[in-house]
Amino acid sequence: CRGGKDHWFKTGVTNIMEINERQSIEWECLKLCNAFGYYLDQFDFDALGNLFLPDGVWNRHGHELRGPQQIREQLLQDGPKKSGPAMRTGMHFVTNFVPHDVNANEVKSTCYALVFSSRAKTDGVKRFDPMSNIQTILYTDCFRKTPQGWRFASRSGDYKLRSPGWPGTQPESA
């Protein structure tokens, strides 16, 4: 996806049909963002991979995963080490979805994911330590329309805030 960011309120859209069409497109893209977090949390890597175009790219922790198959394979390979149900209960809450460029075939947007996670090995409701299990991610997305509906053309996450005890986090220097 190319082009600069244009805030949603500077669209120049003037008639009701254009407004309704734009809102419908934005809604479809927001649903993809929510589905991404849900499928990741449910370990449904097939459904998550299918949210992407065949050549869609997910920049995950600095590594490019291209296409649904590579996304599925990497998540399955990570298994309990990073993403498996034996080790983690996670919840991705999508917020602040902002469509920057919207047209009938492509959308560029950003959103945040507030991620809560627990590594408790108990059944039922998990306990978690907010000092070690909360992070925020700013996602930059590009969506494209296909005959099957809207799909991610690209998704890139940039960590913005992270609990000091999040696994792999280095203490801040003074």
Side-chain angles (χ1 to χ4, degrees):
C1 291
R2 291 184 166 77
K5 292 182 178 179
D6 181 29
H7 295 287
W8 65 272
F9 53 84
K10 295 181 180 178
T11 62
V13 175
T14 56
N15 73 49
I16 294 298
M17 187 57 133
E18 289 176 9
I19 292 170
N20 289 342
E21 182 180 358
R22 181 185 173 98
Q23 288 175 333
S24 176
I25 291 168
E26 292 171 0
W27 177 248
E28 291 301 317
C29 294
L30 174 58
K31 287 185 349 185
L32 283 171
C33 294
N34 285 317
F36 179 92
Y38 177 80
Y39 293 142
L40 189 59
D41 295 342
Q42 300 302 313
F43 310 103
D44 189 345
F45 304 141
D46 286 331
L48 188 141
N50 290 335
L51 299 175
F52 285 80
L53 292 169
D55 63 345
V57 175
W58 177 18
N59 185 326
R60 180 178 182 247
H61 312 301
H63 299 97
E64 272 194 8
L65 303 176
R66 186 170 298 278
Q69 187 63 33
Q70 189 177 22
I71 290 168
R72 284 189 287 268
E73 288 171 0
Q74 185 64 54
L75 292 172
L76 287 170
Q77 179 183 329
D78 289 345
K81 177 175 57 174
K82 291 184 182 174
S83 302
M87 289 296 290
R88 182 179 71 81
T89 298
M91 292 181 284
H92 289 69
F93 295 94
V94 175
T95 183
N96 296 49
F97 176 80
V98 178
H100 298 286
D101 291 323
V102 178
N103 66 54
N105 296 306
E106 185 175 273
V107 174
K108 294 175 210 136
S109 70
T110 53
C111 69
Y112 284 102
L114 176 60
V115 183
F116 293 87
S117 183
S118 174
R119 293 188 175 347
K121 295 181 182 185
T122 59
D123 289 332
V125 176
K126 310 279 193 220
R127 291 179 178 245
F128 81 101
D129 175 3
M131 290 304 292
S132 66
N133 293 299
I134 299 175
Q135 64 181 340
T136 59
I137 304 168
L138 174 63
Y139 283 109
T140 302
D141 298 316
C142 180
F143 307 92
R144 290 210 180 98
K145 190 172 185 179
T146 73
Q148 295 76 36
W150 288 88
R151 297 290 184 267
F152 284 103
S154 64
R155 171 159 257 216
S156 181
D158 182 24
Y159 293 105
K160 293 298 182 182
L161 297 172
R162 190 179 262 175
S163 297
W166 188 272
T169 302
Q170 300 299 318
E172 290 186 31
S173 56

